[in-house]
Amino acid sequence: MTARTRDGTLSAVSFDLSVWALPEGATPAEVRAAVQRCREGRHADRHPDPRVVRFYRAITAAYPDRHAGPGSPWEVTPLHAASDHVELNLFPTCEDQVLLDIERLAGEHGLMLFDAQDGSVYPPPARVTP
């Protein structure tokens, strides 16, 4: 994502990902539809999915989103967490290890990964068949 600065030049603002707890067998189209509902402010009124809770706890244990100090990968804090997803707005200069950790934790917790830059949806690595 880019934004226009006051002098009219473009600068990188954030790199946006989200992880989604959808039913087994959810398609990329279903993930994109869930993302759209979130963008419209429509969130399911239900208890948080345990997979989302575990992911949030794990990622924020490694990269705190409360009182984040210098070197934090988060462009926006605290992270947006809902019952079925967590939105992660990262500095474009964050270390590759942060992205690898997000992907790994999404896989460990059975979450689909949505890349807001191009709309790609990635299933957890455990669901990918050779």
Side-chain angles (χ1 to χ4, degrees):
M1 177 180 285
T2 58
R4 196 162 299 278
T5 62
R6 290 180 190 210
D7 68 0
T9 60
L10 293 177
S11 66
V13 176
S14 66
F15 178 74
D16 305 326
L17 299 171
S18 53
V19 294
W20 292 83
L22 297 179
E24 182 74 30
T27 66
E30 290 169 316
V31 174
R32 289 185 195 99
V35 169
Q36 186 59 39
R37 285 190 299 276
C38 175
R39 288 179 177 163
E40 294 169 355
R42 296 185 292 144
H43 293 94
D45 186 21
R46 64 178 199 189
H47 290 287
D49 188 295
R51 297 172 292 172
V52 170
V53 173
R54 289 190 300 266
F55 173 87
Y56 178 83
R57 288 179 178 161
I59 199 66
T60 58
Y63 308 101
D65 69 332
R66 310 283 173 161
H67 311 293
S72 171
W74 311 125
E75 173 81 18
V76 176
T77 59
L79 302 179
H80 168 76
S83 62
D84 61 352
H85 69 281
V86 177
E87 187 175 309
L88 311 139
N89 306 106
L90 300 123
F91 284 109
T93 56
C94 77
E95 296 181 20
D96 288 344
Q97 186 60 51
V98 177
L99 301 174
L100 294 171
D101 289 341
I102 291 168
E103 182 180 341
R104 176 182 54 80
L105 289 169
E108 287 177 9
H109 299 291
L111 302 172
M112 303 288 283
L113 185 62
F114 175 77
D115 182 336
Q117 283 58 234
D118 64 5
S120 297
V121 176
Y122 304 94
R127 290 191 198 169
V128 177
T129 55

